[in-house]
Amino acid sequence: MRVSVIGAGLGGLCLAQGLRGAGIDVDVYERDPAITARFQGYRLVLSPTGFEALHGCLPSRWHPLLDAIVDDTRVERLILDTQLNKVGELGPARSGLVVDRHVLRHLLLTGLDVHTGAALTGYDVLDGKDGKDGEAAKVQAHFAQGASPAPADLLVGADGVNSAVRALLTPQTVPTDTGVRFVIGRTPMTEQFAALSHAWGAKIAGDGVSLLLGAMRFGIPPKQAAEELAPEVRLPDTGDYVRWAMILPPNSSLGEETPQQAVLSRIQGWHPDLRALIEQADTDNSTLLSIRVVEPRERWARGPVTLLGDAIHATSPTGGNGANTALRDADLLRRSLIPAAAGSRSLLDAVGDYETQMLEYGAEAVRFSLEALPAYVAKP
Ligand SMILES: Cc1cc2nc3c(=O)[nH]c(=O)nc-3n(C[C@H](O)[C@H](O)[C@H](O)COP(=O)(O)OP(=O)(O)OC[C@H]3O[C@@H](n4cnc5c(N)ncnc54)[C@H](O)[C@@H]3O)c2cc1C
């Protein structure tokens, strides 16, 4: 069996690792010209489900390294004023495993030969009958540049919120813009910022905007952890940092300002440590993002093409569940495909079972994230 995965995000790479480990041939195609072409360095909170899915897809010899690059944290979720005084609570305290997305992505890339600069533009399902006796259909992907690869038995659209695969497979399923915009960035950790620990997980409420802070701390630097625990893995030399995100008034744009200037101009008179935090941010690592969601709608026709992750159920980051759900998809699809690759069940039945479960919990993940959104949006 040969599987083409479109998109080298967390979900697509996790699936590719899982298939590779199961002895299934897999090719990954990524639109970006290079793996590190974009800022992807924010931290993620992994749920037990997401973490278990990662464990399931990664070789067991890397599990000690995976365990070493996550930070086990517990945060009180307070509402603070701009001088960092407590004025309320955002919800119950939350614990989880924090991981840096950039570091995790490098672990997931290890040993995979990703075709970069490969933006999918279309695919053809080639004649064939799926079934016990007949020849299964194949799928031929087409890319903006370069020759088309050999046909695959299954094409998986793991190509994110703007999925080109989704647009072809289920064109009625389109992203919805919530209107919420935020600037995200990060600042190297110092003693001054480490002292802001009561603000991790908090919402700092200002005039029409709110600032959210979270810490990424590595027990052991990821590069060193890889050298000691899994020498074939190369992880980036990333230090501890504070991730900050400012939620802006609906439909904001930055005009001529850089993301960092946009935040500074909105926090005049705020606590000096907060201003220093933004002033000392990595200039290369901040950006404006909009919150769009994809809610799975109608089921598409059975065939050798399916979807995974944000491509079919993009959540608001306020749910903290988008990556976790993409990883869950990857592990579920991997487990579904193993008997199909062994010839003990039909590929279409395996994919159909995956889709039935994934569409149900994916829709629930989007609903949950949208319910969590209003608490984070600043009151004008
Ligand atoms: C600020 C922020 C914080 C977040 N925090 C959390 C968190 O704490 N916990 C959590 O669970 N989730 C979190 N999320 C959500 C999480 O990042 C996403 O849900 C997750 O990355 C989705 O993975 P994916 O593989 O489906 O898609 P993506 O990671 O978006 O990957 C899609 C890939 O496909 C590529 N691609 C796109 N189009 C094409 C094409 N035509 N051809 C080829 N390749 C293509 C893209 O370049 C990209 O590399 C957060 C998101 C943001 C923005």
Side-chain angles (χ1 to χ4, degrees):
M1 179 185 291
R2 175 167 289 277
V3 178
S4 290
V5 175
I6 310 302
L10 298 178
L13 291 174
C14 187
L15 174 67
Q17 286 290 354
L19 297 181
R20 189 175 76 123
I24 297 174
D25 290 333
V26 58
D27 298 295
V28 183
Y29 298 93
E30 166 57 46
R31 176 189 57 186
D32 285 346
I35 287 301
T36 49
R38 280 180 295 126
F39 164 70
Q40 305 202 23
Y42 50 83
R43 52 166 232 152
L44 297 166
V45 182
L46 293 174
S47 65
T49 306
F51 194 61
E52 202 181 305
L54 270 173
H55 263 240
C57 289
L58 290 177
S60 55
R61 66 183 183 281
W62 294 352
H63 291 180
L65 176 58
L66 178 62
D67 296 345
I69 59 171
V70 296
D71 181 27
D72 201 344
T73 57
R74 184 174 187 281
V75 288
E76 303 299 325
R77 299 170 66 230
L78 306 177
I79 303 177
L80 306 175
D81 67 17
T82 60
Q83 303 308 314
L84 296 174
N85 303 303
K86 177 179 169 182
V87 291
E89 283 176 14
L90 199 50
R94 188 185 277 170
S95 48
L97 293 171
V98 183
V99 66
D100 177 82
R101 193 176 194 280
H102 185 62
V103 170
L104 177 60
R105 202 154 169 258
H106 274 76
L107 174 61
L108 288 170
L109 282 160
T110 304
L112 296 177
D113 189 14
V114 176
H115 305 266
T116 51
L120 179 128
T121 51
Y123 61 79
D124 294 315
V125 175
L126 308 177
D127 281 345
K129 291 190 301 220
D130 181 73
K132 293 183 183 62
D133 305 315
E135 189 192 339
K138 298 252 181 196
V139 55
Q140 171 76 66
H142 302 292
F143 296 93
Q145 289 180 332
S148 294
D153 300 287
L154 179 68
L155 182 140
V156 182
D159 48 346
V161 66
N162 294 317
S163 172
V165 180
R166 182 193 63 231
L168 296 161
L169 186 64
T170 168
Q172 68 279 14
T173 308
V174 289
T176 308
D177 189 346
T178 63
V180 180
R181 307 278 181 269
F182 64 105
V183 175
I184 184 167
R186 67 186 216 185
T187 306
M189 186 72 82
T190 61
E191 267 182 43
Q192 179 187 12
F193 303 141
L196 293 173
S197 60
H198 71 296
W200 309 148
K203 172 172 106 166
I204 304 164
D207 197 10
V209 294
S210 55
L211 188 66
L212 314 172
L213 304 186
M216 179 74 241
R217 282 181 280 210
F218 299 100
I220 164 169
K223 184 168 182 284
Q224 184 187 335
E227 283 162 3
E228 289 174 8
L229 297 170
E232 81 262 41
V233 180
R234 293 273 155 78
L235 295 185
D237 197 8
T238 306
D240 297 354
Y241 62 88
V242 181
R243 188 273 296 130
W244 46 263
M246 172 164 276
I247 311 256
L248 302 174
N251 299 309
S252 296
S253 61
L254 300 187
E256 298 293 300
E257 292 175 307
T258 65
Q260 191 183 13
Q261 287 166 342
V263 176
L264 283 171
S265 68
R266 287 166 171 86
I267 63 168
Q268 284 174 25
W270 288 35
H271 193 286
D273 287 346
L274 295 174
R275 287 196 61 81
L277 181 75
I278 308 301
E279 281 161 359
Q280 292 175 35
D282 290 345
T283 44
D284 293 343
N285 283 331
S286 46
T287 189
L288 175 73
L289 296 173
S290 47
I291 298 186
R292 288 179 305 147
V293 298
V294 174
E295 296 179 73
R297 295 191 190 279
E298 290 156 56
R299 184 81 180 259
W300 49 89
R302 271 162 67 99
V305 181
T306 193
L307 295 166
L308 172 158
D310 277 11
I312 184 59
H313 46 62
T315 60
S316 162
T318 48
N321 57 1
N324 286 300
T325 314
L327 297 171
R328 181 178 178 180
D329 293 352
D331 190 40
L332 175 62
L333 185 53
R334 168 189 77 90
R335 286 186 282 113
S336 305
L337 291 179
I338 290 173
S344 57
R345 76 178 306 204
S346 108
L347 174 65
L348 292 195
D349 287 348
V351 173
D353 280 359
Y354 156 75
E355 288 171 351
T356 303
Q357 293 181 57
M358 175 275 287
L359 288 170
E360 191 178 328
Y361 64 67
E364 175 52 34
V366 179
R367 268 195 300 278
F368 173 83
S369 75
L370 285 173
E371 281 165 17
L373 181 60
Y376 289 89
V377 177
K379 307 281 176 295

